[in-house]
Amino acid sequence: MRERQTRMERILWGKLRARRFHGIKFRRQVPLGPFIADFLCVEARLIVEVDGSSHYREGAQEYDAMRDAYLKEHGFKIVRVSNSSVRTSLDFVLETIKDALL
């Protein structure tokens, strides 16, 4: 999975990695039970997911809801952002992540 990051995931990772985002540590492609989180801040128990077109296919929303429920049951907060939001509104995406950390 690490080698197959999408372009938008690479862009967001460039902002989150190496404590560049408010000194907060994020990890990428982190296994959590049967799932893999795009980005995880362990300290805040925050998962950030970057959703591409595959998340809008038939059945994907039900799968995402089941996945989110599992992760929430295990104490994680989840922020989902779309590829287009990362591409066109990166500052807004970062602000959304910052708000979720508080």
Side-chain angles (χ1 to χ4, degrees):
M1 291 289 287
R2 288 180 186 259
E3 292 82 28
R4 297 187 329 167
Q5 256 188 322
T6 67
R7 182 170 176 258
M8 295 305 115
E9 287 173 339
R10 283 192 306 272
I11 289 169
L12 186 55
W13 180 237
K15 299 295 184 181
L16 298 178
R17 67 185 297 272
R19 296 186 186 268
R20 291 177 183 165
F21 187 68
H22 302 284
I24 298 165
K25 175 144 178 81
F26 277 88
R27 295 170 46 202
R28 68 180 177 101
Q29 301 297 315
V30 179
L32 296 169
F35 305 107
I36 296 176
D38 289 340
F39 305 104
L40 170 67
C41 174
V42 174
E43 296 159 357
R45 299 193 59 81
L46 176 68
I47 296 168
V48 179
E49 291 293 313
V50 180
D51 292 346
S53 60
S54 66
H55 291 268
Y56 302 103
R57 292 184 187 147
E58 186 175 332
Q61 291 178 345
E62 292 82 6
Y63 175 82
D64 284 345
M66 180 267 311
R67 180 182 184 277
D68 288 356
Y70 172 90
L71 295 168
K72 287 177 183 176
E73 286 173 12
H74 288 83
F76 294 97
K77 295 182 283 186
I78 300 151
V79 171
R80 289 189 168 276
V81 298
S82 67
N83 277 347
S84 63
S85 293
V86 173
R87 182 176 46 253
T88 63
S89 306
L90 184 57
D91 288 341
F92 177 75
V93 167
L94 294 172
E95 191 66 29
T96 301
I97 294 168
K98 181 178 147 192
D99 290 347
L101 289 165
L102 303 177

